[in-house]
Amino acid sequence: MTVDSDEIVIDVHLTTQDPAVVREEIRNGLLSSPRVLPTKYLYDDRGTELFEQICKLPEYYQTRTEFQILATYADRIVACSNANELVELGSGAATKTRVLLDAMDRADQLNYYVPFDVSEGIVRRVSQELSEEYTDLHIHGVVGDFLAHLEHIPDGGKRLVVFLGGTIGNLDDVVGPAFLSSVNEEMASGDYFLLSVQFVTEVNRLEAAYNDSKGVTAEFNKNMISVMQKLVRADFDPDAFDHVARYNHADSRIEIFLRSNKRQTVMFQDLDLKLALEEGEEIRTEISTKYDRKRVEHLLANAKFELVEWYADSEELLGLALAKKP
Ligand SMILES: C[S@@+](CC[C@H](N)C(=O)[O-])C[C@H]1O[C@@H](n2cnc3c(N)ncnc32)[C@H](O)[C@@H]1O
């Protein structure tokens, strides 16, 4: 645990991860069919910076839509939950979070904020920024993997746990439900959970959001290559891969790949792995599932949440489900 100041405490749990487990996870992914790399590795400091740029792109309708929904319903969400502690999983730059913090402040309910993210740099930056913006706010940052370290969410007051940015869509049909159940287990009875989901919409709009004209999403995707160069000493050449993002109708999700643009062998020194790739062969780096209300209601019920209210924009591009642990 690091105590940064009277108002800020940051716990770092990633360093406790066994390097052998990390290597095994990457190795297994690369050798599976389809080949995959864990999405969380997209978010080192550079990746987080690029994701912040993506959120401002005209094609990336998701962030501004979610911002508008939050701005419309934040007071209602805060009143319903009666929470004095905001726990944010995958908090990133916490830009939209300010809308909820402001509403808690207005209701005189703002005591604690817990940003939880795999990216240490962003947890530290956001903690510092928010402690300057909100006087008397206690911040307890957690640097960890929300698929492995949820039990490290600090004990606190009456909680509103939020999972914004449609991040649930990055988790597949097995991991997503298990993750929601773990979140539920970490909450106390009467705590609230706010889940953001992106709805199925026209394919053109969806695919444009991940193929922006400035190429920022392509750079974000290719950042995986530099992360792998550092993390497992891969001799990955960024110029030998293209960014590909397309909608998979059967699974209602955008899938993002690094596609090998030539026949090549990539050496992963720390994995003792020589990966032979054909021209056109793909490694999946991210999925982003798009939902409908029924599917989300089913997910929440299976994780033992009770749905309280739905909020959405007029075009039904995005929804926020407010649920409660009974
Ligand atoms: C899609 S972004 C959303 C960021 C922010 N919540 C928003 O709405 O703009 C996903 C965030 O989750 C974090 N993240 C991804 N996988 C994670 C994991 N396994 N554990 C903890 N954080 C993770 C990333 O670092 C990133 O900040």
Side-chain angles (χ1 to χ4, degrees):
M1 178 185 291
T2 332
V3 177
D4 285 44
S5 71
D6 282 354
E7 261 89 39
I8 305 175
V9 176
I10 311 263
D11 296 337
V12 182
H13 297 290
L14 283 182
T15 43
T16 61
Q17 270 185 338
D18 183 350
V21 174
V22 172
R23 286 185 202 140
E24 193 61 11
E25 179 188 35
I26 297 173
R27 192 172 209 286
N28 288 345
L30 286 169
L31 295 178
S32 68
S33 176
R35 298 189 196 282
V36 293
L37 279 168
T39 301
K40 65 183 173 193
Y41 294 120
L42 288 170
Y43 293 95
D44 66 344
D45 287 346
R46 177 70 186 139
T48 305
E49 200 178 294
L50 287 165
F51 185 72
E52 277 184 72
Q53 289 179 32
I54 290 173
C55 290
K56 294 180 193 144
L57 292 168
E59 294 95 337
Y60 202 77
Y61 63 89
Q62 290 92 324
T63 304
R64 57 180 180 273
T65 308
E66 190 169 278
F67 186 88
Q68 280 161 7
I69 302 171
L70 281 169
T72 309
Y73 296 105
D75 289 310
R76 192 177 167 90
I77 293 165
V78 167
C80 257
S81 69
N82 199 28
N84 64 358
E85 173 176 347
L86 187 68
V87 177
E88 181 167 21
L89 304 175
S91 42
T95 313
K96 289 163 288 177
T97 315
R98 268 86 164 175
V99 179
L100 286 169
L101 292 172
D102 287 344
M104 289 171 81
D105 206 13
R106 277 195 294 278
D108 210 12
Q109 277 173 225
L110 182 60
N111 287 340
Y112 293 102
Y113 175 57
V114 178
F116 187 129
D117 204 284
V118 76
S119 171
E120 180 166 352
I122 199 71
V123 171
R124 292 194 181 278
R125 194 191 91 196
V126 160
S127 299
Q128 196 56 46
E129 284 172 2
L130 292 179
S131 85
E132 284 162 19
E133 287 169 37
Y134 298 87
T135 38
D136 298 334
L137 175 63
H138 297 281
I139 299 173
H140 193 144
V142 182
V143 180
D145 183 340
F146 54 53
L147 300 178
H149 300 125
L150 280 186
E151 78 272 20
H152 297 298
I153 296 174
D155 286 337
K158 176 127 177 38
R159 287 170 180 161
L160 171 62
V161 179
V162 301
F163 197 39
L164 301 179
T167 309
I168 187 69
N170 298 151
L171 309 181
D172 69 22
D173 283 353
V174 175
V175 177
F179 164 78
L180 290 175
S181 296
S182 312
V183 173
N184 183 285
E185 278 163 28
E186 290 306 321
M187 291 167 57
S189 167
D191 282 350
Y192 278 70
F193 180 50
L194 186 68
L195 177 67
S196 137
V197 293
Q198 296 170 5
F199 290 132
V200 175
T201 184
E202 308 97 64
V203 174
N204 286 350
R205 192 195 305 241
L206 288 171
E207 290 191 339
Y210 299 86
N211 289 290
D212 64 277
S213 56
K214 280 195 182 155
V216 186
T217 315
E219 205 183 327
F220 173 70
N221 188 21
K222 283 196 179 190
N223 184 51
M224 180 66 97
I225 293 177
S226 44
V227 171
M228 288 300 133
Q229 286 167 341
K230 287 178 224 144
L231 193 66
V232 287
R233 294 194 293 156
D235 70 349
F236 240 139
D237 171 11
D239 293 335
F241 289 86
D242 297 324
H243 162 76
V244 174
R246 59 170 180 266
Y247 190 64
N248 172 337
H249 285 268
D251 294 323
S252 308
R253 66 193 193 193
I254 286 285
E255 296 180 339
I256 301 184
F257 303 90
L258 290 166
R259 180 190 285 161
S260 175
N261 57 29
K262 61 177 187 190
R263 191 168 191 200
Q264 58 180 312
T265 303
V266 184
M267 179 71 199
F268 293 80
Q269 285 196 47
D270 291 347
L271 308 182
D272 200 16
L273 173 69
K274 253 188 195 172
L275 191 71
L277 295 170
E278 293 300 323
E279 183 178 346
E281 215 175 323
E282 296 173 331
I283 302 173
R284 200 179 70 206
T285 53
E286 190 181 277
I287 58 168
S288 181
T289 302
K290 310 304 168 191
Y291 298 87
D292 59 34
R293 287 193 189 214
K294 263 216 165 117
R295 187 168 169 192
V296 179
E297 286 168 14
H298 192 65
L299 271 174
L300 287 169
N302 275 351
K304 301 200 169 59
F305 282 109
E306 184 183 297
L307 180 67
V308 178
E309 290 193 341
W310 262 113
Y311 314 106
D313 60 297
S314 56
E315 286 184 88
E316 288 264 330
L317 294 173
L318 211 135
L320 291 177
L322 183 66
K324 182 181 174 182
K325 174 159 175 165

